[in-house]
Amino acid sequence: MKAKTFENLIRKVVREEIDYALRREIKTLKEDLRDELKPTVIEHTQRQVEVPKTTKNSLREKIMGKQAFTPQNFTSNSALNDLLNETAQGDTNLETGNAPGVPVEAMPAPVQKVVNRDYRELMQAIDNKKRK
């Protein structure tokens, strides 16, 4: 056998062996990774304490007041109707005219000036500009 042919034969055999060994190692590494990344489910069992209904109601009364609310039928869709009734029970603060949050008196003077400014002239100017 010539030296060149023998060298090529050895290269081919070594290449095949390396390829085979790499495939085997990659397969075992993938399996190890899968095992490490598998989510482990841990079941927690906690004792749940039932909150007394009076506590639930007293908290609601503190927040909402003691107004009796009778649910209305706004729509035939029961889910939407329940949602609208829950919204209707809430304090939207429409009676006072102020949005909920910080009272105007507690705001800094520049912010009070902006909040209390009369915007009628500005809105008229915008409307006039749109008409042109």
Side-chain angles (χ1 to χ4, degrees):
M1 224 192 262
K2 291 187 179 178
K4 195 69 169 170
T5 309
F6 185 65
E7 183 181 333
N8 286 338
L9 185 62
I10 290 177
R11 283 181 192 234
K12 184 178 178 182
V13 170
V14 168
R15 191 175 295 131
E16 288 174 359
E17 284 298 316
I18 289 175
D19 190 38
Y20 176 72
L22 280 175
R23 284 186 186 160
R24 236 184 5 207
E25 285 300 313
I26 289 173
K27 185 178 179 181
T28 57
L29 287 173
K30 281 183 178 179
E31 288 173 359
D32 290 345
L33 268 176
R34 278 191 211 116
D35 292 341
E36 286 178 16
L37 295 178
K38 261 186 194 170
T40 55
V41 177
I42 300 171
E43 195 170 313
H44 294 283
T45 55
Q46 294 180 350
R47 193 171 47 114
Q48 294 188 0
V49 178
E50 181 66 30
V51 178
K53 196 162 187 114
T54 56
T55 306
K56 289 181 185 177
N57 290 340
S58 65
L59 181 60
R60 175 175 275 177
E61 288 172 1
K62 283 180 185 177
I63 296 171
M64 307 293 283
K66 290 189 177 186
Q67 299 174 352
F69 179 77
T70 56
Q72 297 177 353
N73 200 9
F74 294 103
T75 178
S76 60
N77 185 342
S78 64
L80 182 60
N81 200 38
D82 292 341
L83 184 65
L84 289 171
N85 276 313
E86 286 178 20
T87 305
Q89 289 179 31
D91 181 19
T92 56
N93 220 2
L94 295 174
E95 295 82 29
T96 60
N98 293 332
V102 180
V104 177
E105 295 80 24
M107 295 178 187
V111 176
Q112 282 183 4
K113 187 176 179 183
V114 171
V115 170
N116 293 328
R117 180 178 169 196
D118 185 14
Y119 288 97
R120 285 181 279 196
E121 292 176 18
L122 176 65
M123 297 309 295
Q124 286 175 352
I126 291 171
D127 289 339
N128 291 337
K129 189 173 182 180
K130 285 182 181 179
R131 288 185 201 136
K132 291 182 180 180

